[in-house]
Amino acid sequence: MKSRKYLIYDVFTDRPLAGNPLAVVVECEGLETAAMQAIAREFNLSETVFILPADNPRHRARVRIFTPEYEMPFAGHPTVGAAVALAEEAGDDGMAGMFVLEEQIGPVRCAVTKGRGASFAEFDLAKLPERLPLTVDPAAIGAALGLAPHEIGFENHRPSLWAAGVPYLTVPVAGQEVAARIRFDNTAWTELAPPKGEGIVASAYIYCRDTVLHDSAFHARMFSPGNPAIEDPATGSAAAAFAGAIVHFDEPVAGSHAFWIEQGIEMGRPSRIRLEIDVEGGRIDGARIGGHAVKVAEGLLFA
């Protein structure tokens, strides 16, 4: 029986037992898809990433990302965690700096700064956010979140559907107190949310400007419907999609804009996601997601 090394990282945090946990399985050449899915189910974390040799020799590695139920074309905290793991496993003289990871969505350029305890990784979005049609009544969205109609929206922000590889229904709410009262109704959400393929519906990304940390620009929560539904403590792919909503509603001037997004606070897993957006002519010209990751465990997988 072949053994494979695995690492557990907490991502989008600079301290252990916070952020979003991730399993990273290394040296996965020859591992079949069904085995990867079974291993992800065994870890039972929101995502598990598998490291494989790159198809292009100029790239650092190919990665495949699995939830316990299905494979994802792209996800933010697995990208950050995989990039940090590869840089740290390479040692002090290894490949930090910039490199490319091959994901199902396409090549993803990453930059890693190794640090003591926690390293920082940032990646370019392989796909810029795109607005998708949405015809759902905001009152129905509020009801599925346990909120009243008047608590949905702030300023000119309204619910909208965006995707930068994975779609999210972004829902602005009146403030942090409202966000804390959310009671996610899995059945109601599944009935109203647009599908994102293979019978899975778009997840809920709730946000407001009212924040816990003084330098955060937005406070967020993310709920993914399923059996059971889950809340995610940090969601990079949702932040990537949310970039579209920021530019659409806030209309920032041309140039680069950086935002810290706090998430996971209600879960006791505080997380910090850095979102950078380049704006040109009122449109997104480029965007990056970044955050820290810290290793909390490692071992051998006999499978």
Side-chain angles (χ1 to χ4, degrees):
M1 180 179 294
K2 181 178 175 61
S3 63
R4 290 180 170 84
K5 184 177 181 180
Y6 71 86
L7 314 163
I8 304 295
Y9 275 83
D10 285 338
V11 184
F12 291 126
T13 178
D14 59 2
R15 61 183 177 87
L17 307 182
N20 202 347
L22 172 75
V24 182
V25 184
V26 301
E27 297 178 357
C28 294
E29 187 173 12
L31 196 61
E32 296 182 354
T33 297
M36 293 183 192
Q37 185 65 76
I39 291 168
R41 193 171 294 120
E42 181 81 7
F43 279 117
N44 201 33
L45 298 174
S46 59
E47 280 108 4
T48 297
V49 61
F50 297 86
I51 308 296
L52 299 129
D55 292 330
N56 186 330
R58 293 179 296 177
H59 297 164
R60 181 66 180 87
R62 181 163 67 95
V63 301
R64 296 181 67 179
I65 302 165
F66 287 79
T67 75
E69 301 299 328
Y70 55 87
E71 184 172 8
M72 296 189 71
F74 157 75
H77 98 277
T79 301
V80 168
V84 168
L86 285 164
E88 291 187 345
E89 285 293 290
D92 290 340
D93 296 325
M95 187 172 286
M98 299 188 68
F99 52 84
V100 174
L101 297 180
E102 298 172 356
E103 300 191 16
Q104 299 290 77
I105 196 173
V108 179
R109 188 176 66 168
C110 305
V112 178
T113 303
K114 291 192 287 187
R116 293 183 178 179
S119 297
F120 185 90
E122 185 176 62
F123 64 87
D124 294 336
L125 297 192
K127 183 178 181 181
L128 296 179
E130 173 189 7
R131 190 173 188 182
L132 305 175
L134 179 67
T135 58
V136 180
D137 183 0
I141 293 173
L145 299 176
L147 302 177
H150 72 275
E151 294 174 316
I152 302 300
F154 64 81
E155 301 163 8
N156 66 328
H157 284 243
R158 298 293 179 267
S160 52
L161 184 65
W162 300 87
V166 180
Y168 291 89
L169 205 170
T170 60
V171 184
V173 297
Q176 185 190 140
E177 183 272 334
V178 174
R181 286 194 284 104
I182 288 171
R183 296 295 179 267
F184 186 76
D185 186 325
N186 186 60
T187 300
W189 187 269
T190 301
E191 290 176 352
L192 71 84
K196 63 179 182 182
E198 300 180 1
I200 303 164
V201 300
S203 298
Y205 187 73
I206 297 96
Y207 68 95
C208 60
R209 290 201 204 276
D210 184 21
T211 64
V212 174
L213 301 174
H214 70 90
D215 58 343
S216 296
F218 296 97
H219 179 90
R221 301 181 73 180
M222 196 289 280
F223 296 88
S224 182
N227 187 23
I230 63 167
E231 181 172 4
D232 200 36
T235 320
S237 59
F242 179 49
I246 293 175
V247 173
H248 176 78
F249 291 112
D250 286 350
E251 300 180 346
V253 298
S256 294
H257 304 267
F259 309 89
W260 282 104
I261 301 171
E262 60 185 38
Q263 191 179 334
I265 291 173
E266 290 83 357
M267 301 175 65
R269 301 281 305 194
S271 307
R272 297 258 285 166
I273 299 172
R274 182 174 172 86
L275 170 62
E276 296 182 358
I277 308 173
D278 301 327
V279 178
E280 184 63 42
R283 301 172 64 88
I284 298 178
D285 190 51
R288 293 163 295 283
I289 298 288
H292 289 89
V294 56
K295 184 167 66 173
V296 295
E298 63 179 71
L300 292 178
L301 177 69
F302 299 103

